[in-house]
Amino acid sequence: MTFETIIYEVENQVAWLRLNRPDKLNAFTFQMNHEIKDAIKQASNDESVRCVVITGEGRAFCSGQDLSEVKEGTKLGDVLRNHYVPMVKQIRKCEKPIIAAVNGVAAGAGFSLALACDFRVMSEKASFINAFIHVGLIPDSGNFYFLTRLVGEAKAAEISILGEKISADEAMRLGLANKVFPEQDWLNEVKLFSDRLANSPTKTIGLIKKYIQLSSSLSFDEFLEKEAEGQTIAGLTKDHHEGIEAFLQKRKPIFTGK
């Protein structure tokens, strides 16, 4: 599959998805929305891929929607339903770990894209901003759903209503970032982090993602039953058996994602 607004490459079991409109700070176009969705689906179906990294070319991660593409009178709800919702749903549906490698500013829907991923690792020069308020709009593309769960209602309201820039250090303190890397070590650190995930038990990670998402919508008793079902599935994987063998043999396990 060929793409025009993103670069898609697979290296060492990691699919790298680079937003590629650097002259526009990687602002979303509708084509980019669909290419991201298609790339995530491609990575999901590729057995050689065990981790996905989304990052930006140039000095930005993603500055949000390219407003020049949204014509006056456009129903913005339809824009979301037709372009952003399918993209975000595909990201959440993916059973493989997805890292947002935030190399620069992630603003508006670019912030939402990062929030939808499983991990957010940031360059020390990177930042988040819920910029919707500055154009009289509410955060979208699942932004509230993820943000509130990460920082709580009061802080989510502050971030969304004030629309102030959040530095990488502040994002780390708030729990919005998992790691902050020095700019000079940025690419190497992202590769080390993605390699670690790519060499982990991939099917187990998919189950963990699934049951974390289920945990907020089920009763305690319902969740315990789902948890038991999930552990049964995990216990049948080759990686589980490899983990047991490695433990008994006092060696590091070699997981294959099966």
Side-chain angles (χ1 to χ4, degrees), residues 179-201:
K179 303 280 186 181
V180 174
F181 298 133
E183 188 175 20
Q184 64 270 22
D185 302 325
W186 166 247
L187 184 57
N188 185 55
E189 291 288 355
V190 173
K191 286 184 175 180
L192 288 173
F193 189 74
S194 60
D195 286 346
R196 175 181 176 182
L197 289 173
N199 287 286
S200 296

mmCIF file of all heavy atoms in Angstrom, residues 179-201:
data_model
loop_
_atom_site.group_PDB
_atom_site.id
_atom_site.type_symbol
_atom_site.label_atom_id
_atom_site.label_comp_id
_atom_site.label_asym_id
_atom_site.label_seq_id
_atom_site.Cartn_x
_atom_site.Cartn_y
_atom_site.Cartn_z
ATOM 1 N N LYS A 179 7.448 8.795 29.053
ATOM 2 C CA LYS A 179 8.884 9.049 29.075
ATOM 3 C C LYS A 179 9.153 10.402 28.432
ATOM 4 O O LYS A 179 8.445 10.805 27.502
ATOM 5 C CB LYS A 179 9.661 7.983 28.288
ATOM 6 C CG LYS A 179 9.455 6.543 28.742
ATOM 7 C CD LYS A 179 10.291 6.205 29.957
ATOM 8 C CE LYS A 179 10.166 4.715 30.299
ATOM 9 N NZ LYS A 179 10.967 4.374 31.505
ATOM 10 N N VAL A 180 10.181 11.083 28.912
ATOM 11 C CA VAL A 180 10.687 12.284 28.254
ATOM 12 C C VAL A 180 12.163 12.047 27.968
ATOM 13 O O VAL A 180 12.921 11.701 28.880
ATOM 14 C CB VAL A 180 10.500 13.541 29.127
ATOM 15 C CG1 VAL A 180 11.183 14.747 28.473
ATOM 16 C CG2 VAL A 180 9.022 13.832 29.346
ATOM 17 N N PHE A 181 12.554 12.222 26.706
ATOM 18 C CA PHE A 181 13.922 11.934 26.293
ATOM 19 C C PHE A 181 14.644 13.221 25.885
ATOM 20 O O PHE A 181 14.037 14.111 25.280
ATOM 21 C CB PHE A 181 13.934 10.969 25.105
ATOM 22 C CG PHE A 181 13.324 9.624 25.400
ATOM 23 C CD1 PHE A 181 12.410 9.058 24.518
ATOM 24 C CD2 PHE A 181 13.650 8.923 26.553
ATOM 25 C CE1 PHE A 181 11.853 7.812 24.775
ATOM 26 C CE2 PHE A 181 13.098 7.681 26.828
ATOM 27 C CZ PHE A 181 12.193 7.125 25.932
ATOM 28 N N PRO A 182 15.944 13.311 26.176
ATOM 29 C CA PRO A 182 16.734 14.464 25.714
ATOM 30 C C PRO A 182 16.716 14.544 24.193
ATOM 31 O O PRO A 182 16.715 13.517 23.509
ATOM 32 C CB PRO A 182 18.150 14.164 26.231
ATOM 33 C CG PRO A 182 17.972 13.161 27.332
ATOM 34 C CD PRO A 182 16.756 12.359 26.960
ATOM 35 N N GLU A 183 16.721 15.754 23.686
ATOM 36 C CA GLU A 183 16.617 15.946 22.234
ATOM 37 C C GLU A 183 17.738 15.243 21.475
ATOM 38 O O GLU A 183 17.511 14.629 20.426
ATOM 39 C CB GLU A 183 16.620 17.437 21.908
ATOM 40 C CG GLU A 183 16.317 17.748 20.453
ATOM 41 C CD GLU A 183 16.203 19.231 20.191
ATOM 42 O OE1 GLU A 183 16.712 20.025 21.001
ATOM 43 O OE2 GLU A 183 15.601 19.605 19.165
ATOM 44 N N GLN A 184 18.968 15.276 22.024
ATOM 45 C CA GLN A 184 20.106 14.689 21.309
ATOM 46 C C GLN A 184 20.047 13.163 21.272
ATOM 47 O O GLN A 184 20.675 12.527 20.415
ATOM 48 C CB GLN A 184 21.438 15.137 21.921
ATOM 49 C CG GLN A 184 21.681 14.674 23.349
ATOM 50 C CD GLN A 184 21.162 15.662 24.383
ATOM 51 O OE1 GLN A 184 20.288 16.476 24.077
ATOM 52 N NE2 GLN A 184 21.716 15.602 25.579
ATOM 53 N N ASP A 185 19.285 12.551 22.190
ATOM 54 C CA ASP A 185 19.163 11.093 22.240
ATOM 55 C C ASP A 185 17.813 10.607 21.739
ATOM 56 O O ASP A 185 17.484 9.427 21.865
ATOM 57 C CB ASP A 185 19.359 10.593 23.685
ATOM 58 C CG ASP A 185 20.705 10.992 24.251
ATOM 59 O OD1 ASP A 185 21.677 11.028 23.476
ATOM 60 O OD2 ASP A 185 20.782 11.271 25.467
ATOM 61 N N TRP A 186 17.028 11.507 21.178
ATOM 62 C CA TRP A 186 15.625 11.259 20.897
ATOM 63 C C TRP A 186 15.378 9.987 20.088
ATOM 64 O O TRP A 186 14.707 9.058 20.551
ATOM 65 C CB TRP A 186 15.028 12.470 20.171
ATOM 66 C CG TRP A 186 13.701 12.231 19.523
ATOM 67 C CD1 TRP A 186 13.417 12.217 18.194
ATOM 68 C CD2 TRP A 186 12.459 11.970 20.188
ATOM 69 N NE1 TRP A 186 12.090 11.970 17.986
ATOM 70 C CE2 TRP A 186 11.478 11.817 19.187
ATOM 71 C CE3 TRP A 186 12.096 11.859 21.521
ATOM 72 C CZ2 TRP A 186 10.151 11.542 19.477
ATOM 73 C CZ3 TRP A 186 10.766 11.593 21.826
ATOM 74 C CH2 TRP A 186 9.810 11.437 20.817
ATOM 75 N N LEU A 187 15.919 9.909 18.898
ATOM 76 C CA LEU A 187 15.614 8.785 18.016
ATOM 77 C C LEU A 187 16.106 7.466 18.600
ATOM 78 O O LEU A 187 15.384 6.455 18.557
ATOM 79 C CB LEU A 187 16.231 9.013 16.636
ATOM 80 C CG LEU A 187 15.902 7.953 15.577
ATOM 81 C CD1 LEU A 187 14.391 7.827 15.390
ATOM 82 C CD2 LEU A 187 16.577 8.294 14.252
ATOM 83 N N ASN A 188 17.303 7.464 19.164
ATOM 84 C CA ASN A 188 17.839 6.241 19.740
ATOM 85 C C ASN A 188 16.980 5.753 20.900
ATOM 86 O O ASN A 188 16.700 4.543 21.031
ATOM 87 C CB ASN A 188 19.276 6.459 20.214
ATOM 88 C CG ASN A 188 19.922 5.176 20.708
ATOM 89 O OD1 ASN A 188 19.974 4.172 19.992
ATOM 90 N ND2 ASN A 188 20.398 5.192 21.933
ATOM 91 N N GLU A 189 16.522 6.661 21.745
ATOM 92 C CA GLU A 189 15.697 6.288 22.900
ATOM 93 C C GLU A 189 14.333 5.756 22.451
ATOM 94 O O GLU A 189 13.809 4.792 23.034
ATOM 95 C CB GLU A 189 15.511 7.488 23.840
ATOM 96 C CG GLU A 189 16.765 7.921 24.567
ATOM 97 C CD GLU A 189 17.188 6.940 25.653
ATOM 98 O OE1 GLU A 189 16.455 5.960 25.909
ATOM 99 O OE2 GLU A 189 18.260 7.149 26.240
ATOM 100 N N VAL A 190 13.757 6.357 21.424
ATOM 101 C CA VAL A 190 12.479 5.859 20.904
ATOM 102 C C VAL A 190 12.652 4.455 20.343
ATOM 103 O O VAL A 190 11.816 3.569 20.560
ATOM 104 C CB VAL A 190 11.902 6.810 19.828
ATOM 105 C CG1 VAL A 190 10.659 6.196 19.180
ATOM 106 C CG2 VAL A 190 11.555 8.165 20.435
ATOM 107 N N LYS A 191 13.749 4.239 19.637
ATOM 108 C CA LYS A 191 14.009 2.895 19.085
ATOM 109 C C LYS A 191 14.193 1.870 20.195
ATOM 110 O O LYS A 191 13.676 0.750 20.108
ATOM 111 C CB LYS A 191 15.241 2.933 18.173
ATOM 112 C CG LYS A 191 14.981 3.609 16.831
ATOM 113 C CD LYS A 191 16.201 3.531 15.921
ATOM 114 C CE LYS A 191 15.889 4.110 14.548
ATOM 115 N NZ LYS A 191 17.063 4.046 13.630
ATOM 116 N N LEU A 192 14.915 2.226 21.243
ATOM 117 C CA LEU A 192 15.102 1.301 22.363
ATOM 118 C C LEU A 192 13.765 0.976 23.031
ATOM 119 O O LEU A 192 13.491 -0.176 23.381
ATOM 120 C CB LEU A 192 16.071 1.910 23.388
ATOM 121 C CG LEU A 192 17.542 1.977 22.982
ATOM 122 C CD1 LEU A 192 18.333 2.769 24.025
ATOM 123 C CD2 LEU A 192 18.125 0.581 22.829
ATOM 124 N N PHE A 193 12.923 1.990 23.192
ATOM 125 C CA PHE A 193 11.624 1.790 23.833
ATOM 126 C C PHE A 193 10.715 0.928 22.961
ATOM 127 O O PHE A 193 10.063 0.000 23.445
ATOM 128 C CB PHE A 193 10.969 3.142 24.100
ATOM 129 C CG PHE A 193 9.732 3.067 24.955
ATOM 130 C CD1 PHE A 193 9.813 2.827 26.311
ATOM 131 C CD2 PHE A 193 8.470 3.237 24.395
ATOM 132 C CE1 PHE A 193 8.677 2.758 27.099
ATOM 133 C CE2 PHE A 193 7.322 3.158 25.159
ATOM 134 C CZ PHE A 193 7.438 2.931 26.527
ATOM 135 N N SER A 194 10.693 1.203 21.655
ATOM 136 C CA SER A 194 9.838 0.426 20.754
ATOM 137 C C SER A 194 10.368 -1.002 20.606
ATOM 138 O O SER A 194 9.581 -1.952 20.520
ATOM 139 C CB SER A 194 9.725 1.104 19.386
ATOM 140 O OG SER A 194 10.982 1.236 18.761
ATOM 141 N N ASP A 195 11.685 -1.173 20.596
ATOM 142 C CA ASP A 195 12.259 -2.516 20.522
ATOM 143 C C ASP A 195 11.869 -3.342 21.751
ATOM 144 O O ASP A 195 11.613 -4.547 21.642
ATOM 145 C CB ASP A 195 13.786 -2.451 20.408
ATOM 146 C CG ASP A 195 14.260 -2.017 19.026
ATOM 147 O OD1 ASP A 195 13.433 -2.019 18.090
ATOM 148 O OD2 ASP A 195 15.444 -1.672 18.893
ATOM 149 N N ARG A 196 11.860 -2.693 22.893
ATOM 150 C CA ARG A 196 11.461 -3.394 24.125
ATOM 151 C C ARG A 196 10.039 -3.928 24.003
ATOM 152 O O ARG A 196 9.762 -5.085 24.354
ATOM 153 C CB ARG A 196 11.564 -2.435 25.313
ATOM 154 C CG ARG A 196 11.070 -3.013 26.633
ATOM 155 C CD ARG A 196 11.192 -1.998 27.742
ATOM 156 N NE ARG A 196 10.633 -2.497 28.992
ATOM 157 C CZ ARG A 196 10.576 -1.811 30.123
ATOM 158 N NH1 ARG A 196 11.090 -0.586 30.169
ATOM 159 N NH2 ARG A 196 10.032 -2.331 31.210
ATOM 160 N N LEU A 197 9.139 -3.114 23.484
ATOM 161 C CA LEU A 197 7.753 -3.554 23.324
ATOM 162 C C LEU A 197 7.630 -4.603 22.227
ATOM 163 O O LEU A 197 6.847 -5.553 22.350
ATOM 164 C CB LEU A 197 6.862 -2.354 23.010
ATOM 165 C CG LEU A 197 6.628 -1.389 24.176
ATOM 166 C CD1 LEU A 197 5.887 -0.153 23.701
ATOM 167 C CD2 LEU A 197 5.850 -2.062 25.297
ATOM 168 N N ALA A 198 8.409 -4.442 21.148
ATOM 169 C CA ALA A 198 8.337 -5.383 20.033
ATOM 170 C C ALA A 198 8.840 -6.764 20.422
ATOM 171 O O ALA A 198 8.497 -7.755 19.770
ATOM 172 C CB ALA A 198 9.138 -4.854 18.842
ATOM 173 N N ASN A 199 9.626 -6.840 21.476
ATOM 174 C CA ASN A 199 10.152 -8.116 21.935
ATOM 175 C C ASN A 199 9.439 -8.625 23.181
ATOM 176 O O ASN A 199 9.922 -9.557 23.837
ATOM 177 C CB ASN A 199 11.659 -7.992 22.189
ATOM 178 C CG ASN A 199 12.448 -7.913 20.894
ATOM 179 O OD1 ASN A 199 12.616 -8.896 20.187
ATOM 180 N ND2 ASN A 199 12.917 -6.723 20.557
ATOM 181 N N SER A 200 8.305 -8.048 23.482
ATOM 182 C CA SER A 200 7.469 -8.488 24.598
ATOM 183 C C SER A 200 6.406 -9.467 24.090
ATOM 184 O O SER A 200 6.261 -9.643 22.874
ATOM 185 C CB SER A 200 6.804 -7.272 25.264
ATOM 186 O OG SER A 200 7.777 -6.420 25.836
ATOM 187 N N PRO A 201 5.644 -10.109 24.989
ATOM 188 C CA PRO A 201 4.591 -11.050 24.547
ATOM 189 C C PRO A 201 3.430 -10.297 23.889
ATOM 190 O O PRO A 201 2.564 -9.764 24.561
ATOM 191 C CB PRO A 201 4.151 -11.733 25.856
ATOM 192 C CG PRO A 201 5.198 -11.413 26.859
ATOM 193 C CD PRO A 201 5.777 -10.097 26.453
#
